[in-house]
Amino acid sequence: MSVGIKLRQLDAYRWEIPQEGKMRTRGLIFCAAEMIPALRQDQSLQQVANVATLPGIVGPSLAMPDIHWGYGFPIGGVAAFDLATGVVSPGGVGYDINCGVRLLRTDLHRSEIAGLVQELVDTLFSNIPSGLGSRRRDFKLAPPTLKDVLRYGAAWAVKNGFGNADDLLHIEAGGCIKGADPELISGQALERGHDQLGTLGSGNHFTEIGYVQEIFDETLARALGVFLDQVTVIIHTGSRGLGHQVCDDHIKKLLQASTKYGFDLPDRQLCCAPIQSPEGEEYLAAMAAAANFAFANRQIITHWVRETFQQVLGLGPKALGLELVYDVAHNIAKIETHTVNGRPQKLCVHRKGATRAFPAHHPEVPALYQETGQPVLIPGDMGRYSYLLVGTQQAMEETFGSTCHGAGRILSRHQALKRARGRSIVKELAAQGIIIRGAGKGTVAEEIPEAYKDVEQVVEVVHGAGISRKVAKLHPLGVIKG
DNA sequence: ATGTTC
């Protein structure tokens, strides 16, 4: 428990952990007062303070309102490090490298799929391999091809017939992180990845058909191609066993490096290396390769979503208008330029369970969103709703252009299973008009809505604090889970 | 999150 951590309220949405002891900077947590008691139930505040001790940290050790305990760094954490003096840490990215979310729009009104949701869900379920260890039998990649996936990301997928060139303009970093080096991926990681491209995975990963339930900003919604009662699709998945193995491999290496560089770490899980060291550069190049695998993964699943809609609705691509709004990474470290003390500075920004939220006119935001700001996608639990937001200038000034990533768990998987015992979650959700198909035996029970914070409360904090801006709320109709 | 303990 983080009972002993000092916490000072700055305003309705901001809480500070004052700098003390070995901390090199303060902690800054975006959260509402009613979230504080739950926050103190785990180690996450201690983790915010621990991250503040790392060499070369710039600005505060940040946390978003969906903060909870993670490996070394809290999930919902953001930490930026100076390129010359700072470190990079696998714990600041997480095991699921480039876990992320993409939102697809359609030209369909929800009345056009009424009565077809079950068939859409069933067809998605048969077209997208789902569940723990899910593999695609007819989609094994020879090592040279897999290395191309790792190098080129979503661009590889498009080049090989999954989607179109326009999709790439609607993905963070164009769907390809530069500097990826497939030669740094272990044989074991390659082995785990070779038949997992185009698979959903397990846990909180999902593909969801929904509709636009509420619009908060009509002008922004229109500019993003979103309208009331529109059918939407959300895909949430990452780099599967490949990314997991890359994280594992590099944690081992960086544990050694931390000793070699003489770092005094409050927690071994914060193992890291100087950004500009062989170990640090190798982790970043391997992480980029795993991130590219995840971008390709979401791109291939998108292709199958399009095929599913065409198949079930008997409509062509033009009539469907099934286009990508945007694709965001929420577990990644990026080299970015930010203004620090009035001057541009190159930083390595770790976002772990946090989403980039760049504003209008930022050079890294695609041309078509220059006037709106970068779309930000915040999935909720499967029974409630998800949000579409945009990034803001305030985020650039306070959070290195970052915001929250989701609802955040409040019950452990074990607790959730216990809570779900004797109930049919599928039936309960069906009674609310939401059709669920889960691959894994316990996954749907582990993912019961009450296992999560209400994402609305999380979004109210980031909107209220001004680090992103609400555009629309999306309601689920049919979900496939791992 | 994860071939959920190589």
Side-chain angles (χ1 to χ4, degrees), chain A residues 166-189:
Chain A
D166 191 55
D167 292 341
L168 302 178
L169 304 174
H170 299 71
I171 308 177
E172 182 171 333
C176 178
I177 305 291
K178 290 193 186 89
D181 186 352
E183 301 310 320
L184 294 171
I185 305 298
S186 69
Q188 204 180 353

Side-chain angles (χ1 to χ4, degrees), chain A residues 337-359:
Chain A
T337 302
H338 289 268
T339 303
V340 181
N341 300 326
R343 289 188 187 152
Q345 189 175 353
K346 267 198 161 180
L347 305 171
C348 178
V349 182
H350 295 65
R351 296 190 183 92
K352 181 190 193 176
T355 311
R356 198 185 72 174
F358 282 176

Side-chain angles (χ1 to χ4, degrees), chain A residues 55-58 80-87 274-276 345-348:
Chain A
I57 189 166
V58 173
F81 296 86
D82 177 68
L83 229 45
T85 62
V87 294
I275 300 162
Q276 294 178 337
Q345 189 175 353
K346 267 198 161 180
L347 305 171
C348 178

Side-chain angles (χ1 to χ4, degrees), chain A residues 136 186 232 340 367 376:
Chain A
R136 188 157 180 95
S186 69
T232 54
V340 181
V376 170

Side-chain angles (χ1 to χ4, degrees), chain A residues 255-266:
Chain A
L255 278 168
Q256 289 180 358
S258 299
T259 306
K260 173 180 161 186
Y261 293 105
F263 295 147
D264 177 21
L265 302 176

